[in-house]
């Protein structure tokens, strides 16, 4: 890919000129592709950006439906449903994506490029909120997932 200009860090404002295309990995059975941007030029601009997450108090069952989940793809969100998230499959250094449940709905959460975010917790750990990038997985059968950007705080007790 195109190297980042000198001085680009988290919160930098940049202009990107490139070509957008649909990307789907080999063997994917997902119903739709991800947006991929082949950048031709990246220019750092003056100033900084501090995006605030969109706070959502809805249940996961609502967000896994296309009508409500699809418009949020690529958005920074904080999920705070009435029930806690419970890890059902822990992610590890080799298994990058884990699974969690919330009120009977299964979701996926993955490691980000931040080393501190490699493992989110062990099986049966519970969280009240998760903040991250809402996305759609095109590397398997498809499905919505969150890429945490802030380490969630473990609850002492799960909220069923």
């Amino acid at each position: 890919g195109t190297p980042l200009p000198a001085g680009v860090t988290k919160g930098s404002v940049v202009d990107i000129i490139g070509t957008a295309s649909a990307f789907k990995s080999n063997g994917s059975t997902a119903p739709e592709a991800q947006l991929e941007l082949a950048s031709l030029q990246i220019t750092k601009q003056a100033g900084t950006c501090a995006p605030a997450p969109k706070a959502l108090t809805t249940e996961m069952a609502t967000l896994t439906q296309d009508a409500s989940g699809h418009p949020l793809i690529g958005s920074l969100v904080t999920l705070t449903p009435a029930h806690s998230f419970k890890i059902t499959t822990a992610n590890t250094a080799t298994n990058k994506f884990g699974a969690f449940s919330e009120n009977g709905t299964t979701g996926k959460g993955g490691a980000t490029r931040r080393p501190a975010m490699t493992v989110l917790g062990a099986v049966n750990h519970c969280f009240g909120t998760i903040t991250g990038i809402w996305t759609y997985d095109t590397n398997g059968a498809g499905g919505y997932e969150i890429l945490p950007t802030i380490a969630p705080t473990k609850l002492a007790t799960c909220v069923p």
Side-chain angles (χ1 to χ4, degrees), residues 19 21 57 82 87 90 101 117 119 123-126 141 157:
T19 304
S21 61
T57 56
I87 295 179
S101 65
M117 295 297 296
V119 177
V123 170
N124 295 325
H125 281 186
C126 292
T157 306

Side-chain angles (χ1 to χ4, degrees), residues 1-158:
T2 303
L4 293 175
V8 172
T9 60
K10 178 181 174 183
S12 293
V13 177
V14 296
D15 286 332
I16 300 174
I17 298 172
T19 304
S21 61
F23 170 78
K24 203 186 268 196
S25 64
N26 291 338
S28 172
T29 58
E32 59 184 90
Q34 279 185 313
L35 177 64
E36 181 175 67
L37 184 63
S39 63
L40 303 173
Q41 178 182 332
I42 302 173
T43 307
K44 184 177 185 308
Q45 299 297 325
T48 59
C49 176
K54 180 173 180 68
L56 301 169
T57 56
T58 187
E59 302 293 322
M60 282 293 297
T62 302
L63 292 176
T64 57
Q65 302 304 310
D66 285 341
S68 50
H70 200 270
L72 294 171
I73 291 174
S75 298
L76 178 62
V77 298
T78 296
L79 305 178
T80 310
H83 307 85
S84 57
F85 299 98
K86 184 175 184 179
I87 295 179
T88 55
T89 304
N91 64 321
T92 64
T94 53
N95 176 31
K96 301 292 186 193
F97 284 86
F100 56 86
S101 65
E102 185 271 322
N103 197 27
T105 300
T106 300
K108 293 192 296 183
T112 62
R113 293 180 182 249
R114 297 178 57 214
M117 295 297 296
T118 302
V119 177
L120 299 177
V123 170
N124 295 325
H125 281 186
C126 292
F127 307 104
T129 64
I130 297 178
T131 297
I133 306 297
W134 187 252
T135 187
Y136 189 85
D137 173 29
T138 62
N139 291 320
Y144 294 100
E145 60 193 24
I146 191 164
L147 303 174
T149 56
I150 299 171
T153 303
K154 182 182 170 193
L155 296 174
T157 306
C158 292

